[in-house]
Amino acid sequence: MLWRVLTRSKTTDHHRWGYLVFLLAAAPPVVTWGSASRWGHWDSWAWYTPLMYFVLIPLADLVVGTDTLNPAAQDVPRLERSWYFAALPLLCVPLQIGLMLWGAHVFATAPFGPLGALGWVVSMGCLGGVLGINVAHELIHKPTRAEQWGGGLLLASVLYGSFKIEHIYGHHVDVATPRDNSTAYRGEHVYHFIGRALRHNVPRAFELERRHTLRRGGRWRWWRSEVSLWFACSAVFCALCVWIAGGWLGAVYFAGQAFIAVCLLEIINYVEHYGLMRRQLPDGRYERVDPKHSWNSDFLVTNMFLFHLQRHSDHHAHAARRYQLLRHFDESPQLPFGYAAAVVVALCPPLWRRLMDPRVDRHMEPLRRQPIQPAAG
């Protein structure tokens, strides 16, 4: 009841307090350290973060249920200008970076065995995926310098600054087409998809930035590019981890947590667009993106944790729309679970295909008979 009071208000403060749950998303590593310091069992507590993210949150989704409430039209201008909603993602920047660096100290000094050390790296990588990349995804679409830099620094903290360029100039242009390495085709298993994305998306970011610079009449040099800037920031973060950890263990920790965070991002990408494809026009272009080209989920708890990432169709139709304004559409395909549970199911390809392939077919078949909406421009 308290959760619904905090998150399901039909007033102008739509979901105002529910988004503070990002503080709970940041809490598991601290809970791990505090609990293990007091009671021991470091190797067991090291796995608390993935337990919370991928077991407790899906269970909370089942208990709390779904929410399809959209902001009232008369409230949109005020919500758009609200400093409160703009501040929450920005607060994640020092929180994520501080926790990531603190994690290097814990990794080097806590009495972990091999299993516990792995659990700590996985836990901090999960944190980097949720508090880092997910929040960065919100920030890099926004116009202010603070938000752009905040998003870039969050991505640099997990060694994936290239996402800032590839996502905006690549994924959002080519989503739901064969040209997009962040769109999973029907029948593709998640492990193949992760490998494909990791092989192609970083080089593509450099190429997209080069083309964009040349179109504006500039001269592109890789060492002066924005992608290189964010990788240089990652090098600084790695050096800080080495210094904090007192040696090479800091580099192992930084690379490990970054790898887990990036894999978590790509699993979410896999979930968001699995099997949903736009039709090609006679001139070679594709029909315009609309709310039918992304998987959505209305499970409320995960939506609060992820700043409404699960309202993904509206995001692709209106990329600059702020998270508190993203809308539910009845015509959008709906997952039978939240993104947190979807990550777990996706990691078991036979189960994923059994649950999702029939849904893909049921959703796509009527679309193939509809008139094609021409692409914009």
Side-chain angles (χ1 to χ4, degrees):
M1 179 61 69
L2 176 61
W3 177 269
R4 291 185 180 273
V5 169
L6 292 175
T7 60
R8 301 195 73 173
S9 170
K10 294 186 179 182
T11 69
T12 55
D13 290 328
H14 180 74
H15 291 336
R16 181 178 184 86
W17 305 114
Y19 292 113
L20 289 175
V21 78
F22 82 87
L23 296 170
L24 294 180
V30 180
V31 172
T32 291
W33 177 79
S35 300
S37 296
R38 182 171 182 178
W39 295 304
H41 305 289
W42 284 86
D43 286 3
S44 298
W45 278 107
W47 293 91
Y48 175 68
T49 301
L51 172 69
M52 177 178 173
Y53 284 3
F54 303 117
V55 177
L56 300 184
I57 290 178
L59 289 175
D61 273 334
L62 292 176
V63 172
V64 174
T66 60
D67 170 49
T68 59
L69 183 66
N70 289 332
Q74 67 269 20
D75 295 336
V76 168
R78 189 185 67 83
L79 292 172
E80 173 72 25
R81 296 190 302 268
S82 171
W83 65 267
Y84 170 82
F85 289 109
L88 296 186
L90 287 172
L91 288 174
C92 293
V93 179
L95 187 57
Q96 155 63 14
I97 293 173
L99 286 171
M100 184 273 293
L101 294 175
W102 168 77
H105 168 74
V106 175
F107 183 72
T109 59
F112 291 127
L115 186 61
L118 176 62
W120 184 251
V121 170
V122 170
S123 291
M124 297 308 294
C126 290
L127 182 74
V130 172
L131 205 64
I133 299 180
N134 173 63
V135 178
H137 172 262
E138 170 67 22
L139 293 174
I140 62 176
H141 284 285
K142 303 305 176 286
T144 70
R145 188 178 296 273
E147 289 168 315
Q148 287 286 311
W149 270 91
L153 288 171
L154 286 174
L155 292 171
S157 75
V158 293
L159 200 55
Y160 214 41
S162 57
F163 178 83
K164 188 173 185 292
I165 301 299
E166 197 283 328
H167 180 77
I168 293 174
Y169 297 111
H171 176 60
H172 270 263
V173 174
D174 295 329
V175 63
T177 75
R179 296 192 302 237
D180 182 32
N181 291 307
S182 294
T183 296
Y185 54 80
R186 184 190 183 282
E188 182 178 23
H189 64 72
V190 69
Y191 303 102
H192 179 272
F193 174 82
I194 293 171
R196 177 161 65 93
L198 294 181
R199 285 195 308 272
H200 296 292
N201 282 346
V202 174
R204 193 180 190 215
F206 280 105
E207 178 60 21
L208 288 168
E209 188 179 12
R210 184 186 71 84
R211 292 179 189 175
H212 185 65
T213 302
L214 294 177
R215 279 198 301 269
R216 292 184 298 173
R219 298 182 63 187
W220 185 82
R221 297 290 185 270
W222 70 265
W223 60 87
R224 298 174 58 185
S225 74
E226 184 179 356
V227 178
S228 296
L229 167 66
W230 298 124
F231 279 126
C233 290
S234 294
V236 172
F237 285 136
C238 182
L240 287 172
C241 287
V242 170
W243 176 66
I244 291 169
W248 61 273
L249 280 176
V252 172
Y253 160 80
F254 180 76
Q257 63 87 30
F259 177 75
I260 297 299
V262 170
C263 286
L264 180 57
L265 160 70
E266 298 302 348
I267 297 170
I268 294 295
N269 275 335
Y270 176 86
V271 167
E272 288 170 338
H273 301 287
Y274 176 79
L276 304 180
M277 305 298 289
R278 289 187 281 159
R279 290 170 296 176
Q280 194 167 20
L281 302 169
D283 64 3
R285 296 185 301 166
Y286 288 86
E287 63 180 326
R288 67 165 59 102
V289 178
D290 68 23
K292 297 185 290 291
H293 294 123
S294 303
W295 289 101
N296 287 252
S297 175
D298 289 317
F299 284 94
L300 183 58
V301 176
T302 303
N303 258 328
M304 295 296 98
F305 265 82
L306 299 181
F307 288 103
H308 259 160
L309 178 68
Q310 296 179 141
R311 293 191 169 183
H312 207 60
S313 292
D314 198 16
H315 167 70
H316 269 280
H318 305 92
R321 191 183 298 273
R322 293 185 179 274
Y323 66 92
Q324 69 271 22
L325 301 176
L326 292 174
R327 297 162 296 177
H328 161 85
F329 292 99
D330 290 335
E331 63 266 34
S332 298
Q334 294 292 321
L335 291 171
F337 27 57
Y339 279 10
V343 168
V344 179
V345 177
L347 291 173
C348 181
L351 178 59
W352 174 264
R353 292 200 61 189
R354 181 176 180 180
L355 291 174
M356 292 303 300
D357 284 2
R359 287 178 167 83
V360 171
D361 295 339
R362 286 196 298 270
H363 179 71
M364 292 299 298
E365 185 57 35
L367 299 184
R368 296 187 181 102
R369 299 192 294 267
Q370 294 179 1
I372 294 179
Q373 297 295 321

